[in-house]
Amino acid sequence: MTGDPTTIRRLYGRRSGHKLREGQAALLEELLPAIGVPEEGALGSAALFGDDRPLHFEIGFGSGEHLAYRADLLPDHGFIGAEPFLNGVVGALAHVRDKRLANVRLHMGDALEVLERLPDASLRFAYLLHPDPWPKARHAKRRMVNHGPLDLIAAKLQPGGEFRLGTDDPTYCRWSMMIMNRRSDFEWLAESAGDFLVRPGGWPETRYEAKARRKGHEVWYFRYRRV
């Protein structure tokens, strides 16, 4: 297998769903420019939030429930999220508006483009929750849990920082365990099976996860410390 998301540089799947309502379109036109990640230049806490604060980065935030929950929980931290799906970005903008979150910055597009521009060792947390599993073997190179993206995540996390991964796909679960077990720069924070079968504190259930459970899917929660 050759290549991974850091070299393929292509976003697959649809970029939008149902037509936006008037209020949703207004959010996109008015709020996103105000809290959007700048398109050019180096990024960091001072550039994004005007001060020195712990940074969190979520890769593919869906509709933003997790991102908004964490940002509301930790108002003195800075949260950066990237999501290519238009309707997901609108959902996150609604959370930002409703919760009056001043500590969130959003990017509608490829997460790797933003991650590359962050200073090394600048992140306290990185999140990858229910990524597309690409279950066919020939599509494994598209999975975000591959060594190229993980090298980048490792570089941007502070020593002692945490990478959180959630999935309800058995193939992705096994794949992630195999890939992560090959790495010496991450320490798996699990001492028993229950540690990744039970949602940790401060990790809210998203609509996607609730939908997966209604379908009878198991959900796995992985926490890794950057060493």
Side-chain angles (χ1 to χ4, degrees), residues 46-170:
L48 291 171
F49 300 101
D51 56 22
D52 184 18
R53 60 175 65 196
L55 293 180
H56 302 232
F57 187 83
E58 185 162 349
I59 300 168
F61 53 71
S63 293
E65 299 105 319
H66 174 270
L67 188 70
Y69 177 93
R70 296 286 288 171
D72 191 43
L73 184 69
L74 300 166
D76 57 339
H77 290 209
F79 288 80
I80 310 159
E83 169 62 56
F85 186 44
L86 172 65
N87 297 83
V89 172
V90 170
L93 289 169
H95 287 301
V96 170
R97 177 199 61 198
D98 295 344
K99 293 179 179 289
R100 299 184 179 182
L101 300 173
N103 59 334
V104 173
R105 300 292 181 268
L106 301 179
H107 172 69
M108 186 165 63
D110 188 353
L112 296 175
E113 295 175 354
V114 178
L115 197 57
E116 286 174 335
R117 293 164 56 200
L118 290 168
D120 287 351
S122 62
L123 294 178
R124 183 77 59 86
F125 282 86
Y127 309 99
L128 178 62
L129 307 183
H130 299 280
D132 194 321
W134 295 110
K136 295 181 180 179
R138 69 177 183 270
H139 293 154
K141 61 187 177 182
R142 300 180 185 179
R143 297 170 186 159
M144 192 60 69
V145 176
N146 267 300
H147 290 299
L150 290 170
D151 287 345
L152 188 56
I153 292 170
K156 304 307 176 180
L157 277 172
Q158 302 168 353
E162 189 171 317
F163 171 50
R164 292 187 176 183
L165 166 67
T167 184
D168 64 300
D169 184 86

